[in-house]
Amino acid sequence: MMSGLFDPARHEPLQASAWDDATAREAIRRIADSALAAYEPGLGWRAHPLDDPEPPIDRFHNLYFGAGGVVWALRHLAQVGVIDALPDFTPFAATLRAANRPLLADSQHGSASYLFGDAGLDLLHWTVQPDDAVARRLFDTVQGNLHNPVREALWGNPGTVLAAIHMAEATGEPRWTALVQEAADALQAEMEIDADTGTWLWVQNLYGRPPVRYIGAGHGFAGNVYPFLRAAALLPPGQVALVTGRALATLQATARHADGGVNWFPGINPQRPAEWLPPVQDCHGAPGIVCRLATAPRTPEWDTLLLQAGALTWHAGPLSKGASLCHGTAGSGFAMLKLWQRSGDAAWLDRARALAVHGCGQVERHRLEYGQGRHSLWTGDLGLACLLWDCITGSDAFPTLDVF
């Protein structure tokens, strides 16, 4: 069933006990307590071996797999009341942008990045302690990144505009709404007709490689469409309708179907080996498509596409890489929550909870294997903690994207 849509070797059989709210709360507390015990005041958290590049780096500071994401997650979980009081992270949050800068010194795409660079860390700093100077610096960072030729969410405008969206919602200031509109206009202007599919998309210029045409959430099309849906209340309705209409046509043209499921290759590549199978994770593949585009218009075409993507995600099962948001089981769990909110079908909530329970087992196995927790948001244990909380409350808010 659904053969050719995913590689079973990247997944593992679902091992999930019955869902229980109290057990889920305890799992969240264990993850949070482990992170708090590993915190070194003023320094943050040591990198996990799975996150170390070559050569190894002792600590990271960004939102993605660094201290910024851990601080965000712990504050989020404390604010909703699922964990107890935290240390005062205010002075530490103020240092993260500067501490992160040396790791970006050789970046080909600048330092503005939302998940890896300045924009996300300035937003965190301002959220912890609102400050006019930090807000002005963040505004300039987002504005200066509007035309980054990378044209994807990790480094480019589709990512940094999220900081402006959060600021517009938090402050109500017209300058932030105007910046969101400016970013959306720039992003729309960079769409182009693709010769292979006859549909609209963006071309990415990443890491000095030949131009690519990515489809997924991490580096490509779905991640670029997401800001139009996320900021729909701040943008002209006609613009949102235009981009989402193009998105449906592009995703239909690039989808692979089998047995009631659908998935996407990371990008458009006519020379792809015939035996190559697409991944099923948030950054590339069906879960990320669902997580970014689940608020698309309620039409039969969108419903069919998203539900089939969810069916494939559930059929593929937990990812053997672990419990993370970006390329693990938590990302698939959030796709289930998105479809529950969209469809109202409680089966999707049950599936999200089953994946979350499985993720708890993955966290414990990795803790035993490596002798430490994986203290990061997008690649580690804290993303699963956020999924567990949303499974308890019925929210589908994806960390740092839907909520900050």
Side-chain angles (χ1 to χ4, degrees), residues 179-218:
L179 182 57
V180 172
Q181 293 171 346
E182 187 179 1
D185 289 346
L187 192 54
Q188 181 186 337
E190 290 173 343
M191 293 187 89
E192 54 189 87
I193 290 286
D194 176 57
D196 288 314
T197 67
T199 62
W200 291 89
L201 48 63
W202 287 270
V203 175
Q204 285 76 42
N205 293 289
L206 272 167
Y207 308 129
R209 302 169 186 165
V212 291
R213 296 163 291 171
Y214 282 132
I215 298 298

Side-chain angles (χ1 to χ4, degrees), residues 123 126-127 130-132 135-136 138-139 163-178 180 234:
L123 179 61
W126 184 91
T127 303
D131 177 87
D132 288 344
R136 287 194 298 272
L138 175 56
F139 187 97
I165 294 169
H166 290 302
M167 288 295 288
E169 293 173 342
T171 68
E173 295 178 7
R175 63 170 176 156
W176 289 107
T177 299
V180 172
L234 306 175

Side-chain angles (χ1 to χ4, degrees), residues 137-402:
R137 187 172 67 190
L138 175 56
F139 187 97
D140 292 342
T141 294
V142 175
Q143 192 170 54
N145 204 46
L146 293 180
H147 301 288
N148 191 323
V150 74
R151 300 190 188 99
E152 50 85 76
L154 186 62
W155 296 100
N157 174 24
T160 52
V161 67
L162 299 181
I165 294 169
H166 290 302
M167 288 295 288
E169 293 173 342
T171 68
E173 295 178 7
R175 63 170 176 156
W176 289 107
T177 299
L179 182 57
V180 172
Q181 293 171 346
E182 187 179 1
D185 289 346
L187 192 54
Q188 181 186 337
E190 290 173 343
M191 293 187 89
E192 54 189 87
I193 290 286
D194 176 57
D196 288 314
T197 67
T199 62
W200 291 89
L201 48 63
W202 287 270
V203 175
Q204 285 76 42
N205 293 289
L206 272 167
Y207 308 129
R209 302 169 186 165
V212 291
R213 296 163 291 171
Y214 282 132
I215 298 298
H219 285 295
F221 186 82
N224 290 12
V225 174
Y226 173 72
F228 293 92
L229 295 171
R230 178 65 182 79
L234 306 175
L235 298 174
Q239 182 180 43
V240 177
L242 174 67
V243 173
T244 54
R246 290 176 175 177
L248 178 62
T250 298
L251 293 175
Q252 288 175 326
T254 54
R256 285 179 62 95
H257 296 268
D259 302 316
V262 65
N263 199 14
W264 290 264
F265 281 105
I268 297 168
N269 179 7
Q271 286 76 47
R272 182 186 301 111
E275 69 277 9
W276 202 86
L277 296 171
V280 185
Q281 53 198 48
D282 184 76
C283 52
H284 293 297
I289 302 290
V290 172
C291 285
R292 301 308 183 275
L293 306 182
T295 58
R298 290 301 309 271
T299 65
E301 294 80 9
W302 272 115
D303 286 345
T304 297
L305 197 68
L306 293 170
L307 290 171
Q308 287 181 343
L312 181 277
T313 300
W314 173 246
H315 178 74
L319 283 119
S320 56
K321 283 185 176 181
S324 73
L325 290 174
C326 185
H327 39 255
T329 301
S332 296
F334 268 105
M336 304 295 100
L337 286 179
K338 293 289 185 182
L339 291 172
W340 176 59
Q341 288 285 350
R342 182 180 175 90
S343 70
D345 183 348
W348 294 110
L349 176 60
D350 293 340
R351 292 167 180 170
R353 288 173 166 175
L355 289 169
V357 172
H358 184 98
C360 291
Q362 291 179 304
V363 166
E364 295 303 321
R365 292 200 306 272
H366 274 185
R367 191 188 309 280
L368 289 173
E369 180 178 355
Y370 292 97
Q372 66 182 90
R374 195 171 183 181
H375 308 305
S376 63
L377 176 58
W378 276 78
T379 66
D381 304 347
L382 274 302
L384 178 72
C386 294
L387 172 66
L388 287 163
W389 178 246
D390 281 5
C391 284
I392 292 170
T393 62
S395 172
D396 67 343
F398 200 108
T400 66
L401 300 184
D402 300 330

